[in-house]
């Protein structure tokens, strides 16, 4: 009884060269260091939100308040820039446009004005300043629009920043570094195999020598 020897298991190329796997932990560590450094050096940002509501006049259609609320929400920053909001908040027009975001509700004539700044008190001043500008602007054109904007809720001073902390930034950086390191491990063996095949095919292509075909097997004559 003959037994066939077991075939040797051929490992994939990345497993045959363990040194390549050092790229993955190195990429994770580098990503965590970069992300943590960014989170530690970046100035924290605070957000404060002020709410205003659009109310109809005595002779206007109550349903018109919802439409005007949508319109005021779209031009909130423009009204704030042309008004006195930047004076009350103590910021430039460009900073006011970048730091303020106005959102409306499809069901209620309410506008939320959120401002972001490096200091909690500054965020509150910007949000309340924009809300005050909307209130004053609506009172000037109330005769033609039939609605006016009323302060619903003033902004409260935020206690914690909304920007990501250093540990969270380090975690995100580590995940990104691990992803890039894994992609590098997957792409590198394919490129190395392609270069090896190119090197083997160059000598035959350069010399132009044809590879001889294997000779046909001739049967030997039997002895008489």
């Amino acid at each position: 009884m003959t037994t066939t020897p077991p075939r040797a298991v051929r490992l994939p190329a990345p497993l045959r060269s363990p040194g390549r796997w050092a790229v993955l932990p190195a990429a994770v560590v580098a990503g965590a260091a970069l992300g943590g450094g960014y989170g530690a050096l970046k100035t924290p940002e605070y957000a404060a939100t002020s709410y205003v509501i659009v109310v109809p006049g005595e002779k206007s259609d109550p349903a018109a308040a919802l439409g005007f609320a949508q319109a005021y929400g779209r031009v909130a920053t423009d009204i704030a820039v042309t008004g006195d909001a930047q004076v009350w908040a103590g910021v430039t027009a460009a900073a006011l446009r970048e730091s303020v975001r106005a959102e409306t509700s499809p069901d209620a004539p309410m506008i939320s004005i959120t401002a972001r700044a490096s200091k909690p008190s500054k965020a509150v001043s910007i949000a309340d300043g924009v809300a005050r500008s909307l209130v004053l602007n609506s009172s000037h054109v109330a005769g033609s629009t039939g609605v006016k904007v009323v302060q619903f809720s003033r902004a409260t001073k935020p206690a914690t920043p909304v920007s990501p902390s250093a540990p969270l930034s380090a975690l995100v950086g580590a995940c990104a570094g691990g992803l890039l390191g894994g992609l590098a491990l997957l792409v590198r063996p394919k490129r190395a195999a392609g270069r090896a095949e190119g090197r083997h095919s160059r000598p035959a292509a350069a010399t132009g020598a044809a590879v001889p075909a294997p000779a046909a097997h001739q049967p030997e004559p039997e002895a008489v």
Side-chain angles (χ1 to χ4, degrees), residues 178-196:
L179 178 60
L180 294 177
L183 292 176
L185 287 176
L186 293 176
V187 173
R188 186 177 177 183
K190 295 180 180 179
R191 291 183 176 177
R195 295 194 187 101

Side-chain angles (χ1 to χ4, degrees), residues 31-45 161 163-171:
L34 292 176
Y38 174 79
L41 297 177
K42 180 178 173 56
T43 304
E45 286 187 344
S163 56
S165 60
L168 181 59
S169 299
L171 180 60

Side-chain angles (χ1 to χ4, degrees), residues 119-132:
K119 296 181 179 180
S121 57
K122 180 66 67 176
V124 172
S125 299
I126 296 175
D128 287 340
V130 174
R132 185 178 176 185

Side-chain angles (χ1 to χ4, degrees), residues 75 77-86 96-97 133 137:
V75 298
T77 55
D78 295 333
I79 294 175
V81 169
T82 56
D84 298 328
Q86 52 185 331
L96 190 66
R97 292 182 184 275
S133 293
N137 180 270

